[in-house]
Amino acid sequence: MSDYDKIRERAERGERLKQARLRADTGGVKATADRFGWDRNTYKAHDSGRNGFDPATAVKYAKAFGVSANWLMFGTGSIDDDYEASAHVTDVPLVTWVSAGALTNQDAITDLSDFPTMPVTDLPEGDWIALRVEGDSMNRISPHGSIVLANRRDRRLVHNACYIVADETGAATYKRWRQNEGFHPVSTEEISPPDFEGAVHVVGRVRRSLIDM
């Protein structure tokens, strides 16, 4: 896709978002952001078409405004299509790194319903958790502040795949695994591999990385 096409796509998506907001009669940009607890600047950039947004964010907006996620994201179908029927939506628990480490202990966390969730489209079957990335150790794949989605049912080590792992202290981290090398950062910075204490347990394989643009 050319730069021109990307700009046009952002503008068209922003126009549909604005149309959905006006139809829902939630007020102006600031009032709408405050009403739903969204960051004002982020939402303003989406509503104006200055910045694009991903499918998970489209589902969030579609649910708030009562419109079709597919229409909002791609311009397909009708604005009146049900937002859940227009996309396979999974509410994924957004856990902390401390909680992720605790998941290696089967008795520590058995119910994730107390955690906030985020809607994600078109995930395959699995036991999914989401974590917000902290630091630059994986910034070639997932910059600081992005969100990674890990499937706790998928723990088999595959060369060049990425995982959430934790050691015996419960300290969790996000790294790529390579055969004969173990878990390593994928960074633009000079960052050393993690210094694990005791055995390393795989929490889940990271299958998707999300970031607001």
Side-chain angles (χ1 to χ4, degrees), residues 74-193:
F74 305 112
T76 58
S78 167
I79 188 174
D80 294 312
D81 290 340
D82 184 78
Y83 90 94
E84 287 185 321
S86 63
H88 298 291
V89 182
T90 304
D91 286 325
V92 179
L94 182 61
V95 307
T96 66
W97 289 99
V98 172
S99 300
L103 290 173
T104 60
N105 181 346
Q106 294 301 315
D107 296 328
I109 299 179
T110 58
D111 184 5
L112 294 175
S113 62
D114 290 336
F115 289 88
T117 61
M118 57 178 293
V120 182
T121 58
D122 298 325
L123 284 178
E125 286 294 321
D127 181 6
W128 295 93
I129 58 172
L131 299 100
R132 191 175 300 277
V133 175
E134 300 175 359
D136 295 322
S137 69
M138 292 292 287
N139 67 7
R140 288 187 181 273
I141 300 173
S142 307
H144 175 76
S146 56
I147 292 176
V148 292
L149 304 175
N151 184 0
R152 294 201 293 156
R153 292 183 190 169
D154 189 353
R155 299 182 180 181
R156 183 173 61 91
L157 293 177
V158 176
H159 184 69
N160 270 342
C162 296
Y163 298 87
I164 306 298
V165 294
D167 64 16
E168 291 183 352
T169 70
T173 187
Y174 165 42
K175 295 293 180 287
R176 182 172 67 184
W177 185 82
R178 282 183 169 176
Q179 194 171 6
N180 301 323
E181 296 181 18
F183 295 98
H184 283 265
V186 185
S187 176
T188 58
E189 308 291 332
E190 290 292 332
I191 296 177
S192 300

